Amino acid sequence: MATALTDNPTANDAANDAANDAANGADAGTPAVRLSHVSKSFGRPGHGQTVLDDISLDVAPGEFVCLLGASGCGKSTLLNLVAGLDAPSSGEIRVAGDRRPALMFQEHALFPWLTAGKNVELALRLRGVPRGERREEAERLLELVRLRGAYGKRVHELSGGMRQRVAMARALAQKSSVLLMDEPFAALDAITRDVLHEELTRIWQATGDVSVLFVTHNVREAVRLAQRVVLLSSRPGRIARQWQVGIPQPRRIEDAAVADLSVEITEQLRGEIRRHGQH
Amino acid sequence: MASTETTTATGPSAPGGDGPERPVPGGGDRAADGLAGLEAGLDALETPAAQRTPAGRVLRTKVLPPVAAVLLVLAAWQLAAQADLKPDYMLPGPLDVWNALAEEWYRGTILGTVWNSVSRGALGFAASLAIGTPLGLLVARVGFVRAAIGPVLSGLQSLPSVAWVPAAIIWFGLTDATIYAVVLLGAVPSIANGLVGGVDRVPPLYLRAGRTLGATGLRGVRHVLLPAALPGYLSGLKQGWAFSWRSLMAAELIAVSPDLGTGLGQLLENARVLQDMSLVLGAISLILVVGIGIELLVFAPLERRVLRGRGLLARG
């Protein structure tokens, strides 16, 4: 399989293109998300801390990409930039389509003053769906995450896993072509997380052309879910290496192939972390 | 410069091509059914069972203690009055107070008096609400406004509104305008401050979630900021009502004139002029009862409903 080892930004792009070609067959088309030489620093220019350094990354339409990294690699910052909640210090971010990307957080971020169904309907309303169609569409989306009976439930009446599924339904209600996920399952217990991995894979497959950019520090989770794993180094965050995951779905987190690749990625990740202890 | 490397790991049963793995949905129906069943089981296990507190226990733990406390105080008061610790014109017993109120009742004026005060209080409160809410929103969201009048607004809360009465009388004379001015000056700051506090305590996550959903600008205020700030706003309203009622009584007590309809404050002042201690105490208890009654009947259920809907209040 194609392996590109590069040392400069231009070739970095070439590596991306190669990865996208792999994900999309011969036709790369317009990427759903394109980051070109994106850097982000906080604090005074020149004296601040650089969180992201020269990130170039394309996500193809319908592609599932996991951003993997230890603390301080700026993966959440990167998602905020793509979501438009913050602006890059330099470089350019382009998101295909005219809808803003949907974003799911580690906390469910559902509004506690609304029922599960009304949370979904609010997203529909803000998208401009006419009043008469909202209820039916919200029920369809809840059905998609298998929470048909939860329409009238308050957020606090739902378990952690159910809340994240409602949050997923709400994100899907935005009908955006890009779904950004910021460690959405990190706060869940292992059994629920495992089920939600399966659920997310199923829903991603069912929706067809939604691109997912999924941030995690859990290597197994990344390999379990993604078509491509992007490893970020820390302080500043740079793309250290990418893996194309060819293991067919449905995968299980206990699969030997998932384990093997996880070992390889973990080694690389540990190497990145060790570098920080050396000076 | 970081090195970038792309490698592909292929699973044991991977198809030969390098296209994405996307089995046709529905291909694994049995697996999907298994997942649905698993999920239903997890949901059932993790959903807390709703329970209701039996009415008997509510009665025993919530209603009985305050009633017993009030009865105890009344009994002690009656005993003190009967023991003649002070002459009757200074310390009448609860029964004397009751009789004084009953006398007012038979004269047919008492309901009108209570209504005068309550309607003034309600109207003043409504006006305070209409002014305090946009004011609070401005202070909470516009940095310049906050810097300019935020400290003044919270400082005003510690100014007893009775201090405004002389000024209001000079401005408006002995009219209803005086009474409403004092009520407004008392209630608007606490309603506005309650909203500011409520907005400040809105978790930033809700605002971020709202922005990604497209709730920006006024839509963000309407769909996210205001509902999220509602608990703080409601406690501001509760305090605002208490301030309205207090200010109203202060104004009625001082601004006594035949032109103004008799309210509870005026009833109290008239009783003092007539040296009718039973009626003075009766008027005080009416003021207390109306103030507490409105809080219990209007604000407490409203607040409970909002908090319970958000899971911020344990049942029972």
Side-chain angles (χ1 to χ4, degrees), chain A residues 43-63:
Chain A
R44 283 184 300 149
H47 299 274
Q49 196 188 2
T50 304
V51 179
L52 293 169
D53 185 26
D54 196 33
I55 304 271
S56 291
L57 178 74
D58 280 6
V59 179
E63 195 187 9

Side-chain angles (χ1 to χ4, degrees), chain A residues 242-258:
Chain A
Q242 308 192 30
W243 287 265
Q244 204 65 40
V245 185
I247 309 162
Q249 295 279 13
R251 300 170 198 154
R252 302 294 297 267
I253 202 142
E254 2 1 72
D255 285 346
V258 171

Side-chain angles (χ1 to χ4, degrees), chain A residues 1-7 12 22-23 54 62 80 85 100-101 103 105 107 109-113 122-123 125-126 146-147 154 156-157 159 162 165 170 174 189 191-192 195-196 198-199 204-206 208 210 227 238-249 257 261, chain B residues 1-23 25 31-33 35-36 38-40 42-44 46-48 205-216 219 222-225 227-229 307-312 315:
Chain A
M1 288 285 150
T3 302
L5 193 65
T6 62
D7 221 356
N12 197 354
D54 196 33
N80 279 344
L85 292 176
R100 62 178 72 226
L103 175 56
F105 307 86
E107 305 86 4
L110 295 171
F111 299 135
W113 55 90
L122 179 58
R125 177 176 185 173
L126 292 167
R146 293 204 240 256
L147 279 174
R154 293 287 185 155
H156 67 95
E157 295 172 306
S159 69
M162 292 160 93
R165 272 145 68 202
R170 184 174 74 172
Q174 290 181 250
D189 66 88
I191 300 173
T192 306
V195 169
L196 284 196
E198 215 161 324
E199 195 65 29
W204 166 67
Q205 287 171 339
V210 173
Q227 291 177 305
R238 293 185 178 127
I239 294 180
R241 197 172 155 181
Q242 308 192 30
W243 287 265
Q244 204 65 40
V245 185
I247 309 162
Q249 295 279 13
L261 184 54
Chain B
M1 197 61 242
S3 70
T4 301
E5 207 173 319
T6 305
T7 42
T8 300
T10 309
S13 56
D18 51 2
E21 279 67 45
R22 253 182 208 260
D33 285 351
L35 179 60
L38 184 61
E39 225 159 39
L42 269 182
D43 293 350
E46 291 187 354
T47 307
L205 181 65
Y206 292 156
L207 302 180
R208 293 211 306 153
R211 273 166 66 198
T212 53
L213 290 174
T216 49
R219 300 210 296 177
R222 179 174 165 210
H223 292 298
V224 182
L225 193 71
L307 294 184
R308 185 166 287 173
R310 294 167 191 224
L312 295 172
R315 283 195 175 269

Side-chain angles (χ1 to χ4, degrees), chain A residues 70 150 252 267-268:
Chain A
R252 302 294 297 267
E267 273 313 307
Q268 185 92 26

Side-chain angles (χ1 to χ4, degrees), chain B residues 123-201:
Chain B
L123 203 63
F125 179 72
S128 311
L129 197 67
I131 299 171
T133 304
L135 185 66
L137 210 53
L138 268 178
V139 172
R141 298 302 284 174
V142 184
F144 177 75
V145 178
R146 178 176 219 140
I149 65 171
V152 180
L153 206 59
S154 40
L156 271 181
Q157 263 190 301
S158 44
L159 178 71
S161 47
V162 67
W164 291 110
V165 177
I169 291 179
I170 292 174
W171 286 331
F172 303 111
L174 289 176
T175 61
D176 274 337
T178 294
I179 290 177
Y180 287 122
V182 174
V183 169
L184 283 175
L185 285 163
V188 167
S190 52
I191 292 176
N193 277 319
L195 184 54
V196 172
V199 168
D200 286 349
R201 281 193 299 273

